[in-house]
């Protein structure tokens, strides 16, 4: 009589309980008994109070959510097989639970009686397989020449004389049916690689009168055609005089063990999210490709690819969406290369493509352009239209390195060069990049200490009312007073700060110092002007952005109406649906908003009308080319006119000449900023400028 096995469902969804109960009544691997509780705490108490064979755990419970639910259960009652029930959006969490020891997972939108029945059956089979593997291991420690379960013997003429129960099951022959049959009819074996018949070890054991083993990768074909991977040892049977009377073979099914081994090998060499080769397998293939290229005097190429701005997608839309985007990127990369090439994922948003053979180095550039084009089309992920670009570094063997390590390292350097050149492009490795990499590393190292050492300083550039000539505000611009390099401009360190995760603390310092200075000027009786502060994409997408602004305004005492945040078109349009509600919250706080570098991005007019902005700042690239004959003049005139119609203030950046000023005044531009009015200057000099402005205007 089989022992009743108790299964526990931890789930507060009544419909899941009904399906679970129905499934146990229809399970064929029983008998099973089912029990249900609604909370994790109840489940833990229940498992501790009575032996439970297996657990079905919903990751969304009243008293626990997500991966932590499984971890708490595993910690409280280790060793009980657990299957996860997860929502359709929680696949990544379920997969993470598998890596932490869960046996399988079911999705709520596919939950029915049959899926539960299959899950119970699979769990029973896995448990049986695990027990068999454990038994085989223990037996292997005792003896090396008689492991396994099945026993089959023959007489001297290789006629079957005996099968035990396991041998009957594996071969498909009963003892009575097999008796007297030729061994080649009952014990049919082939080579798993070639599919050719193997020499029967029983015959070899008899003819050579010694113990022999099966051919490696041997497959037993059962009577009904099913196949099993087996291992065995065959030995002659001797009578009391030492003469051979037949042979015996002891064998066992290792299909599960081999499949598990193959799966573990695959997992060790492939990325679990995309199923692409990982760093380990890439290293092996790259080493082999170099050896082949060396023998054939040919060339290979390595493309090191990093997605631009992927972290922003993860931060704003969640890691599940980010994971699906990475999977989609992986599929496009595979479609863009040959089957002989290798696409691998190193981790995060980094991919490496190994081109196994290229005729010329330029061919690698052609492939890089094809990949950039493939990634350029929008991705539709969970009702989100996502656009991503990539930066690619290219190296070729033997020009850029003769080892896997050097090719990878130099391709990585070239990739960073592509990022510095504006992203969404590719760059071939050049020897001078090593020097720049060392320089970049030095900047990053010093940058990490700059805040602690109070090395950042603020400069301020005035904004001028083009009608009255008065100062309406200043733009806050950060500088780095490096102890050895001197005053370092933002172009030399901001991109490094973004890449190494320092942009948030630096941005917070800039905002706090700017607000403090604006309030200090007000308290000193100087003219009240707006303080404009640039906001990076990293800061804008940060979950604590709104709270941080509110806190700094309260700490410094600056009224929100005197703070203007400048955001570029690209930052606002990256995820426009996300930007609109965030801008509205900022506007509700009383903060003013400006679109910086207007005209260089890809603003949609429909979104521009939705954004609650106050100011359009025309990019200086248009201002520099002003004359009556240029297209820029037409564009500026159109932007000024559009800003007026939308009731936005229009500011022209980069004003440097009287001719430019005259044009802007003639076309109704509200304000100007640039070297013509004043360069960025320290706070003390800006204070004097404000004092002078106050004296001139009589305020």
């Amino acid at each position: 009589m089989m022992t009743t096995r108790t299964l526990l469902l931890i789930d507060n969804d009544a419909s899941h309980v009904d399906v679970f109960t129905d499934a146990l009544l229809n399970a064929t691997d029983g008998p099973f008994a089912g029990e249900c509780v609604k909370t994790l705490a109840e489940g833990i108490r229940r498992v501790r109070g009575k032996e439970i064979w297996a657990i079905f755990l919903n990751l969304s419970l009243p008293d626990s959510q997500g991966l932590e639910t499984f971890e708490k259960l595993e910690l409280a009652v280790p060793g009980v097989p657990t299957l996860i029930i997860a929502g359709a959006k929680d696949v990544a969490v379920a997969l993470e639970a598998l890596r932490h020891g869960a046996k399988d997972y079911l999705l709520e939108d596919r939950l029915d009686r049959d899926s539960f029945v299959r899950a119970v059956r699979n769990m029973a089979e896995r448990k049986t397989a695990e027990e068999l593997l454990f038994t085989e291991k223990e037996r292997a420690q005792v003896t090396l020449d008689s492991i396994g379960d099945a026993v089959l013997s023959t007489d001297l003429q290789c006629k079957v004389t005996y099968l035990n129960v396991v041998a009957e099951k594996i071969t498909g022959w009963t003892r009575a049916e097999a008796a007297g049959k030729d061994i080649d009819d009952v014990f049919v074996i082939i080579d798993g690689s070639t599919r050719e018949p193997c020499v029967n070890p029983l015959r070899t054991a008899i003819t050579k009168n010694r113990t022999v083993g099966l051919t490696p990768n041997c497959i037993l074909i059962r009577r009904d055609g099913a196949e099993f991977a087996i291992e065995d040892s065959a030995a002659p049977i001797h009578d009391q005089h030492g003469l051979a009377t037949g042979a015996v073979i002891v064998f066992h099914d290792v299909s599960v063990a081999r499949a598990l081994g193959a799966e573990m090998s695959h997992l060790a060499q492939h990325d679990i999210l995309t199923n692409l080769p990982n760093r380990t397998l890439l290293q092996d293939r790259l080493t082999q490709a170099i050896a082949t290229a060396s023998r054939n005097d040919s060339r290979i190429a390595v493309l090191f690819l990093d997605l631009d701005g992927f972290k922003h997608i993860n931060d704003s839309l969640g890691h599940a969406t980010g994971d699906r985007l990475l999977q989609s990127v992986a599929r496009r990369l595979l479609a863009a290369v040959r089957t002989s090439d290798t696409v691998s994922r190193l981790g995060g948003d980094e991919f490496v493509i190994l081109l196994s053979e290229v005729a010329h180095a330029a061919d690698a550039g052609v492939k890089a352009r094809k990949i950039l084009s493939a990634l350029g089309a929008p991705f539709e992920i969970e009702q989100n239209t996502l656009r991503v670009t990539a930066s690619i570094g290219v190296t070729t063997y033997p020009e850029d390195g003769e080892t896997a390590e050097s090719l990878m390292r130099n391709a990585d350097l070239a990739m960073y060069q592509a990022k510095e050149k504006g992203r969404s492009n590719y760059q071939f490795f050049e020897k001078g990049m090593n020097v720049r990499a060392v320089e970049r590393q030095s900047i990053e190292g010093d940058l990490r200490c700059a805040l602690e050492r109070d090395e950042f300083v603020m400069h301020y550039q005035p904004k001028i009312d083009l009608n009255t000539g008065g100062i309406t505000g200043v733009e806050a611009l950060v500088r780095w007073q490096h102890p050895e390099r001197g005053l370092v401009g933002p172009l030399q360190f901001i991109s490094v700060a973004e890449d190494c995760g320092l942009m948030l603390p630096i941005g917070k310092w800039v905002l706090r110092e700017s607000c403090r200075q604006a309030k200090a000027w007000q308290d000193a009786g100087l003219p009240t002007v707006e303080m404009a502060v640039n906001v990076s994409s990293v800061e804008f997408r940060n979950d604590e952005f709104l709270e941080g602004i509110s806190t700094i305004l309260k700490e410094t005492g600056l009224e929100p109406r005197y703070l203007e945040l400048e955001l570029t078109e690209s930052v606002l349009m990256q995820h426009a649906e996300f930007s609109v509600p965030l801008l509205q919250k900022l506007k509700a706080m009383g903060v003013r908003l400006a679109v910086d570098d207007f005209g260089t991005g890809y603003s949609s007019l429909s979104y521009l009308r939705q954004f609650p902005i106050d100011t359009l700042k025309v990019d200086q690239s248009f201002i520099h080319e002003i004359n009556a004959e240029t297209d820029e003049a037409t564009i500026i005139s159109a932007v000024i006119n559009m800003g007026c119609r939308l009731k936005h203030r229009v500011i022209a950046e980069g004003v440097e000449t009287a001719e430019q000023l005259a044009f802007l005044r003639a076309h109704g531009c509200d304000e100007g900023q640039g070297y013509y009015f004043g360069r960025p200057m320290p706070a003390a000099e800006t204070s004097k400028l404000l004092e002078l402005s106050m004296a001139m205007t009589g305020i």
Side-chain angles (χ1 to χ4, degrees):
M1 182 176 179
M2 293 183 65
T3 303
T4 299
R5 293 174 286 190
T6 303
L7 289 87
L8 175 65
L9 173 67
I10 306 176
D11 197 325
N12 69 330
D13 190 321
S15 64
H16 295 177
V17 174
D18 293 340
V19 176
F20 174 71
T21 304
D22 189 23
L24 294 187
L25 294 174
N26 290 273
T28 59
D29 303 287
F32 295 104
E35 296 188 17
C36 306
V37 296
K38 295 182 178 180
T39 66
L40 179 61
E42 292 175 330
I44 292 174
R45 287 195 297 271
R46 185 64 193 81
V47 178
R48 286 174 173 168
K50 180 180 178 181
E51 183 176 351
I52 296 296
W53 184 72
I55 300 171
F56 287 78
L57 174 68
N58 195 318
L59 292 180
S60 181
L61 296 172
D63 58 343
S64 185
Q65 300 284 322
L67 182 62
E68 185 180 358
T69 306
F70 172 75
E71 292 176 337
K72 288 179 180 177
L73 180 65
E74 183 71 7
L75 182 63
V77 287
V80 182
T82 302
L83 184 146
I84 299 300
I85 298 173
K89 295 183 178 180
D90 296 323
V91 175
V93 178
L95 292 173
E96 188 64 24
L98 294 185
R99 289 191 283 272
H100 283 70
K103 298 302 181 185
D104 204 347
Y105 72 91
L106 295 173
L107 297 179
E108 289 180 340
D109 59 347
R110 302 177 187 173
L111 204 59
D112 56 21
R113 186 189 72 185
D114 291 340
S115 64
F116 256 122
V117 170
R118 285 195 299 273
V120 173
R121 185 189 311 120
N122 291 340
M123 192 173 286
E125 291 176 352
R126 279 196 298 272
K127 200 160 188 179
T128 300
E130 289 170 0
E131 292 169 355
L132 283 174
L133 286 173
F134 179 79
T135 301
E136 291 168 6
K137 181 179 178 181
E138 291 298 302
R139 289 177 179 173
Q141 295 173 357
V142 177
T143 178
L144 295 177
D145 61 353
S146 60
I147 59 173
D149 304 314
V151 179
L152 184 153
S153 64
T154 70
D155 59 19
L156 205 57
Q157 287 72 43
C158 289
K159 303 297 183 182
V160 176
T161 58
Y162 172 79
L163 290 85
N164 70 356
V165 175
V166 179
E168 288 181 326
K169 180 179 179 181
I170 294 179
T171 63
W173 290 81
T174 66
R175 187 185 311 173
E177 290 173 325
K181 295 285 186 182
D182 189 276
I183 185 60
D184 290 331
D185 294 330
V186 177
F187 192 68
V188 182
I189 52 177
I190 63 172
D191 187 307
S193 301
T194 65
R195 307 293 294 181
E196 294 294 326
C198 292
V199 176
N200 198 297
L202 289 160
R203 295 186 184 278
T204 305
I206 293 172
T207 56
K208 295 191 175 181
N209 196 27
R210 61 179 177 82
T211 299
V212 296
L214 256 180
T215 302
N217 196 28
C218 189
I219 301 294
L220 169 68
I221 301 180
R222 195 168 63 183
R223 190 178 185 181
D224 62 3
E227 297 184 1
F228 299 87
I230 61 170
E231 291 178 352
D232 82 331
S233 61
I237 302 173
H238 298 102
D239 62 14
Q240 59 185 348
H241 304 294
L243 298 175
T245 60
V248 61
I249 183 169
V250 181
F251 61 95
H252 58 272
D253 177 10
V254 294
S255 299
V256 174
R258 286 189 186 174
L260 183 59
E263 182 181 358
M264 294 302 293
S265 176
H266 181 86
L267 289 174
Q269 296 183 325
H270 289 77
D271 169 52
I272 193 168
L273 177 65
T274 63
N275 203 37
L276 294 176
N278 61 13
R279 186 184 297 271
T280 300
L281 185 53
L282 172 66
Q283 181 81 10
D284 181 62
R285 291 188 180 178
L286 183 51
T287 300
Q288 292 183 27
I290 289 172
T292 301
S294 177
R295 287 194 303 270
N296 299 337
D297 194 24
S298 58
R299 180 182 282 107
I300 64 172
V302 173
L303 278 60
F304 199 115
L305 181 151
D306 185 271
L307 298 180
D308 301 325
F310 175 74
K311 184 178 183 300
H312 305 150
I313 293 175
N314 259 354
D315 292 344
S316 59
L317 299 179
H319 290 276
T321 298
D323 286 347
R324 289 181 177 83
L325 175 59
L326 290 173
Q327 291 168 338
S328 297
V329 168
R331 287 191 289 270
R332 289 196 189 179
L333 292 178
L334 286 171
V337 301
R338 302 165 300 185
T339 55
S340 59
D341 299 328
T342 296
V343 177
S344 67
R345 178 179 178 235
L346 300 190
D349 58 349
E350 290 185 338
F351 296 82
V352 172
I353 299 96
L354 166 62
L355 305 180
S356 57
E357 186 173 351
V358 291
H360 307 283
D363 295 341
V366 173
K367 183 63 67 176
R369 286 196 296 274
K370 181 179 179 182
I371 289 171
L372 291 174
S373 176
L375 296 179
F379 291 85
E380 300 295 333
I381 308 291
E382 295 182 339
Q383 299 181 342
N384 292 302
T385 300
L386 304 179
R387 295 180 182 274
V388 296
T389 59
S391 299
I392 302 177
V394 184
T395 53
T396 57
Y397 169 89
E399 293 89 348
D400 302 325
E402 297 185 355
T403 65
E405 292 77 10
S406 60
L407 285 172
M408 288 281 288
R409 182 178 63 252
N410 292 338
D412 190 14
L413 292 175
M415 181 273 291
Y416 275 108
Q417 184 67 17
K419 283 190 176 295
E420 290 179 3
K421 287 186 176 292
R423 308 178 185 239
S424 189
N425 72 98
Y426 70 92
Q427 295 293 318
F428 281 93
F429 171 74
E430 299 173 0
K431 289 182 171 55
M433 290 180 182
N434 281 315
V435 176
R436 289 194 291 274
V438 172
E439 172 74 4
R440 181 187 179 88
Q441 195 69 27
S442 174
I443 291 175
E444 179 178 333
D446 291 345
L447 199 56
R448 293 187 181 279
C449 304
L451 273 175
E452 297 176 10
R453 296 172 181 170
D454 198 25
E455 293 175 356
F456 290 113
V457 295
M458 295 304 302
H459 283 197
Y460 304 92
Q461 186 173 35
K463 294 189 288 186
I464 306 299
D465 186 314
L466 298 187
N467 292 317
T468 67
I471 299 176
T472 60
V474 295
E475 180 178 357
L477 300 165
V478 67
R479 302 290 188 264
W480 180 11
Q481 189 64 57
H482 194 281
E484 297 173 1
R485 303 171 187 267
L487 195 63
V488 180
L491 290 179
Q492 294 175 263
F493 67 86
I494 289 297
S495 63
V496 178
E498 289 178 341
D499 291 337
C500 66
L502 292 175
M503 199 59 238
L504 287 177
I506 292 175
K508 186 174 291 186
W509 181 89
V510 168
L511 181 62
R512 179 178 285 107
E513 177 60 19
S514 301
C515 291
R516 185 204 63 76
Q517 184 61 66
K519 187 64 169 65
W521 284 332
Q522 291 179 9
D523 293 343
L526 295 175
T528 301
V529 294
E530 287 182 357
M531 177 63 72
V533 180
N534 291 283
V535 177
S536 69
S537 177
V538 176
E539 297 169 89
F540 190 59
R541 305 298 171 200
N542 185 261
D543 292 338
E544 300 176 357
F545 178 60
L546 275 174
E547 183 181 351
I549 290 176
S550 178
T551 300
I552 288 173
L553 288 171
K554 290 177 182 177
E555 289 176 355
T556 59
L558 183 68
E559 294 182 41
R561 61 192 174 123
Y562 295 123
L563 173 64
E564 183 172 70
L565 300 180
E566 295 189 1
L567 302 107
T568 64
E569 282 185 275
S570 57
V571 169
L572 292 174
M573 294 301 299
Q574 256 179 350
H575 304 294
E577 302 85 353
F578 167 86
S579 299
V580 172
L582 183 54
L583 292 174
Q584 289 171 341
K585 291 177 182 177
L586 287 168
K587 194 66 177 173
M589 290 171 57
V591 173
R592 296 182 63 82
L593 303 170
V595 178
D596 196 13
D597 299 338
F598 186 75
T600 61
Y602 44 91
S603 286
S604 161
L605 286 179
S606 61
Y607 270 115
L608 193 60
R609 296 182 64 182
Q610 293 180 47
F611 292 151
I613 58 177
D614 302 287
T615 305
L616 294 179
K617 294 191 71 175
V618 183
D619 186 69
Q620 60 184 335
S621 61
F622 297 109
I623 309 301
H624 291 168
E625 301 298 327
I626 282 180
N627 66 58
E629 308 298 326
T630 62
D631 293 335
E632 282 74 8
T634 304
I635 293 173
I636 295 169
S637 178
V639 169
I640 294 172
N641 184 54
M642 179 179 64
C644 292
R645 289 180 177 276
L646 294 175
K647 295 182 172 57
H648 297 326
R649 184 175 56 173
V650 180
I651 300 178
E653 296 183 286
V655 180
E656 298 181 355
T657 67
E659 178 188 14
Q660 294 167 355
L661 175 59
F663 177 92
L664 294 168
R665 280 177 171 166
H667 286 79
C669 184
D670 299 304
E671 297 178 21
Q673 179 182 348
Y675 289 174
Y676 186 81
F677 307 110
R679 293 175 177 272
M681 62 191 76
E685 293 183 27
T686 308
S687 298
K688 294 178 181 178
L689 186 64
L690 291 173
E691 290 175 359
L692 179 61
S693 174
M694 181 171 61
M696 292 177 63
T697 57
I699 297 175

